[in-house]
Amino acid sequence: MNMRKITLLLLVFLSGAAIGLAQTACPTATDVDGNSYKTIVIGSQCWMAENMRAARNRSGREILLTEQKSDSTPYRYYPNGRVGNAKTYGYLYNWEAAKVVCPDGWHLPSDAEWTQMTEYVSSQGQYACAGNEANNAKALAATSHWKRCQKSCAAGNHPEENNATGFAVLPAGGFYNDGYGYFGKGTFFWTSTESANDSAYKRYLDYDTTCMVRYTYLKLGGGAVRCVRGEKGEGRS
């Protein structure tokens, strides 16, 4: 084999290695408060594997900690109203806060980006509970803190077997019209996509359901935030 062919093969090998690295490498995320977050590659996307816990937006302005509700002023809340929960579960944010809390280089995922992720997980046989590709709950849920249940393939059924993807969803609950709810039982994540003037799409995972589901909720509610890598995102501000 002559030197030219050897060089060409080497370049092909290095190019393939670089592509593989690009597909698997995902940098650690750091917010404006200095908190660092684990990250995970799912398909072609780079996601945070922990909930946001920043007290300020990406510009450095404080997000008011309160128990008031608003669909126009950014607010944050302690999960279940308890100070100590933020370290493990992150904060809950209303939609206005969720849009601006992700660090530079990251953004609040759109409805389409969430769908891309969940459909990828469902398409991978190793994540399908009981061989059913719709059963993605256990692959996305964390291995602890979930209320237990007997329903096969639900996040609360033998949670120690959860988290095949590394996405590690925790049951942070939410802040609703009637106050805090579902702590230890479920959680919802905001998307950047509006469904109406006063509401937006979200993704919800419950201890006794077998998949992550798509709903809408009022923007004044408080939900968890996961960020996805990239500068562009629908609703980013």
Side-chain angles (χ1 to χ4, degrees), residues 182-235:
Y182 297 98
F183 183 78
K185 297 180 180 180
T187 197
F188 79 84
F189 296 98
W190 284 119
T191 83
S192 64
T193 306
E194 295 179 285
S195 56
N197 289 338
D198 63 350
S199 60
Y201 288 100
K202 67 176 184 177
R203 292 299 187 279
Y204 183 77
L205 191 62
D206 195 89
Y207 78 103
D208 64 352
T209 57
T210 61
C211 65
M212 180 173 277
V213 293
R214 177 179 182 256
Y215 288 126
T216 65
Y217 195 66
L218 297 173
K219 296 176 182 178
L220 53 74
V225 169
R226 290 289 180 95
C227 306
V228 69
R229 182 75 173 163
E231 293 293 345
K232 295 181 179 181
E234 182 181 350

Side-chain angles (χ1 to χ4, degrees), residues 33 40 45 49 56 64-65 69 88 94 105 108 110 133 135 142 149 157 164 166 180 185 187-188:
D33 291 333
I40 185 81
Q45 297 170 302
R56 296 182 293 162
L64 185 62
L65 181 64
K69 301 180 182 72
T88 299
N94 67 4
L108 184 67
S110 68
E133 66 180 19
N135 295 337
C149 72
N157 187 307
Y180 298 102
K185 297 180 180 180
T187 197
F188 79 84

